[in-house]
Every structure is written in structure tokens, then in C-alpha cells.
Amino acid sequence: MNIEKQAFRIAVLDMYNGVENEGMRCIKQHIEDFGLKEGLPVQYQVFDVRQHHEVPDLSFDAYISTGGPGSPMVEGTVWERRFFNFLDQIWAHNANRRNRIKKPLFLICHSFQMACVHWQIGSVGKRRSTSFGTFPVHMTRSAHQEPLFSGLNDPFWVVDSREYQVIQPNHHVLEQMGAKVLCLEKIRPHVNLERAVMAIRFSKEIVGTQFHPEADAEGMLRYFLKEDKKANIVKNHGLDKYNAMIEHLNDPDKILLTGSTILPGFLSRAAQRLFTPQQV
């Protein structure tokens, strides 16, 4: 990418509510790696949405909103109102034709679920059991034209960790927004439950996933090989689940491929939109 040497500014909306996590480390690593790869000065600022009610203004060049614990159902808190207002501001800015420079936004897991609640895109509720581990997700027809999925297999493998899910997409709302469902939960013929929506292209600038595209296979492998982390996973999910996850983290065609494709692709396209908007 031939880009002038000016700073590319990214806002990271921290939705983890102070809970220890690997997601934030992975996101920061993606941002730093992108800057090094492109030879581009990159600056990022983290906003603690849930603990300190912080949300970014529209002066940043791109936005990533993280996953997080707890229910995505609206409780009327201050931070929820500020987050939803942020979503509406981003949407309005991008919809305004006078704004030549658009504002790309990536929504991950908890943030994705809350956006679906706010925009009434589907039914959001608690799963019968927690989804945790590495799983295949299947592309829809729309996903085959999705640039962020270019180079991925169908199905492709993701890291998933959620107690809640988005199902029953409202196709009328999706059509009005110009949004497209990109992929669905793994096929489970023995389970009589609707498959969750795993990714949506909300607009040209806004995309989100219910899985964790930021997952860094190498870093997560080091993390989950720690004895205390292994013991916790085996206790809660079983040894077979743990061993399968370690195997998938080691496979270059699974989590490593997904991690090196989706979020880096988002950052690359966001930078292209900023520096060469007429070409993207």
C-alpha cells in the first residue's frame, strides 16, 4: 500500500468492564503489527465504555469495539446510552454524502450483539449452553463478495466465547439498512435449534462478528498452555474440548488463517478509505 507518512488514528472501545481477557491484547497487537507491516505511523486510544462511560468522538480514522462479559440486553445504564449514541453518530456521519471521509467500525461479539439489539436486527437472547472453543462457521451467499473474507475457506474456523446469541434476523430491517448476513453458526443436524448469526455487514463502513476475529493463534496458544488456564478449561468444558482447541490453534488453515485475514483486512481497507477514498 502506497500511503503518505501521516498518523492513522484508531479508537478502541473497551467493553470488557475490567474483566481480564485476551481480546484486548490481540487487538492492540493487530494494530501495532499493521503499522509495522505498512510502514505507517499508527496511534490508538482505548476508551473504557462500561466502567468509565467513555466513548470516542468522530475525529478518529477507524473504530474497533470489543467483546465483553455479561448480557447484551439493554438495562438503561449511562454507558449503554452513550454507546448507542455513538453507533447512531457513526451511522449518520457515514450516511451523509457531504462527508467524503467515512468512519469504518468493526463490532466484536458483545458489541455486535448490542448493535443488533439497538438496530433491531434480530432476536438476542441467552444460549442454552455457553459456546466456547474453536468452531467452523459457514458463509452465506453474500459472504462470497465480502472483501474481509477473501482468502478464507467455507466453512472457516473461528474462536467463539459467548453465552448470548443473535438469531432470527429481521430481513425487513436488514433490507432497509442495506445490511447482509455474512455467515452462520456451524451446522448441527442433531440439534433442533436455530443457528446463530455469526457476522453481518451492516453497511459499507460497518461490519461485525459474533465470534472473535482478533484471536491471535500463537498468543492464545501460549496463554491456554499455561497450567492454570488449562485446568480451568478442562474443569468447565472437558479435556476433549481443550485438546481440540489446542489442535486448531496449531493448524495454519484454521484460527491462524482467520486471525491473519479479517481484522488486518479491516485495518487495511480503513487506511485505504482514509488516504485514497475515491478508489475504495
Side-chain angles (χ1 to χ4, degrees):
M1 188 191 305
N2 185 18
I3 295 177
E4 295 180 8
K5 304 294 185 179
Q6 67 183 81
F8 179 47
R9 300 178 65 243
I10 302 165
V12 180
L13 287 78
D14 178 359
M15 302 284 274
Y16 281 103
N17 202 26
V19 175
E20 180 187 5
N21 67 89
E22 276 289 282
M24 186 61 71
R25 179 194 64 79
C26 291
I27 289 170
K28 291 177 180 178
Q29 190 66 57
H30 274 295
I31 293 171
E32 292 167 3
D33 288 349
F34 173 75
L36 289 173
K37 179 183 176 182
E38 301 297 341
L40 178 67
V42 173
Q43 301 171 358
Y44 66 85
Q45 182 175 345
V46 177
F47 294 82
D48 191 331
V49 180
R50 295 171 70 173
Q51 290 192 116
H52 300 302
H53 307 162
E54 298 171 346
V55 293
D57 59 24
L58 296 184
S59 67
F60 291 85
D61 302 317
Y63 301 80
I64 299 172
S65 192
T66 76
S71 169
M73 310 309 294
V74 179
E75 298 177 350
T77 62
V78 172
W79 74 263
E80 288 172 331
R81 291 195 296 272
R82 292 187 177 179
F83 179 69
F84 292 147
N85 184 57
F86 163 77
L87 292 180
D88 289 338
Q89 286 181 329
I90 288 278
W91 188 274
H93 175 94
N94 291 334
N96 189 335
R97 294 182 179 180
R98 290 177 295 180
N99 294 325
R100 188 175 65 92
I101 304 297
K102 305 301 183 179
K103 302 294 181 178
L105 167 64
F106 201 111
L107 299 157
I108 298 172
C109 197
H110 194 87
S111 298
F112 170 83
Q113 293 165 351
M114 293 196 68
C116 288
V117 170
H118 181 57
W119 287 323
Q120 300 180 339
I121 278 177
S123 175
V124 181
K126 194 164 188 177
R127 289 175 52 86
R128 190 170 66 179
S129 61
T130 300
S131 177
F132 177 83
T134 50
F135 303 98
V137 295
H138 295 260
M139 295 186 190
T140 65
R141 185 175 300 175
S142 298
H144 292 281
Q145 284 75 50
E146 171 54 51
L148 298 189
F149 289 177
S150 178
L152 294 178
N153 302 313
D154 184 12
F156 62 94
W157 285 77
V158 303
V159 170
D160 197 18
S161 177
R162 57 193 165 87
E163 295 181 37
Y164 293 81
Q165 63 182 356
V166 180
I167 59 172
Q168 300 174 355
N170 187 324
H171 295 288
H172 177 67
V173 172
L174 289 168
E175 185 176 351
Q176 284 187 320
M177 293 177 68
K180 302 288 185 183
V181 173
L182 298 178
C183 56
L184 298 172
E185 196 171 17
K186 66 179 180 176
I187 297 172
R188 300 171 297 172
H190 59 290
V191 178
N192 187 26
L193 292 172
E194 185 169 352
R195 293 159 69 198
V197 175
M198 297 302 290
I200 294 176
R201 166 64 68 179
F202 296 97
S203 70
K204 289 182 179 180
E205 300 83 17
I206 302 174
V207 65
T209 64
Q210 197 156 217
F211 57 86
H212 288 270
E214 77 277 19
D216 160 28
E218 294 178 0
M220 292 193 70
L221 186 60
R222 290 193 301 270
Y223 181 79
F224 288 126
L225 285 174
K226 295 178 180 178
E227 285 302 320
D228 60 328
K229 304 304 178 187
K230 176 181 178 179
N232 187 55
I233 293 171
V234 171
K235 177 182 176 181
N236 291 298
H237 303 283
L239 182 59
D240 289 344
K241 172 78 72 174
Y242 176 82
N243 287 336
M245 187 171 66
I246 296 301
E247 178 185 347
H248 296 157
L249 287 172
N250 275 308
D251 190 328
D253 293 325
K254 290 188 168 66
I255 304 307
L256 186 62
L257 179 60
T258 302
S260 64
T261 300
I262 296 180
L263 209 54
F266 168 78
L267 292 170
S268 178
R269 288 180 61 81
Q272 288 175 353
R273 283 182 179 276
L274 174 65
F275 295 103
T276 56
Q278 73 281 1
Q279 298 178 20
V280 178

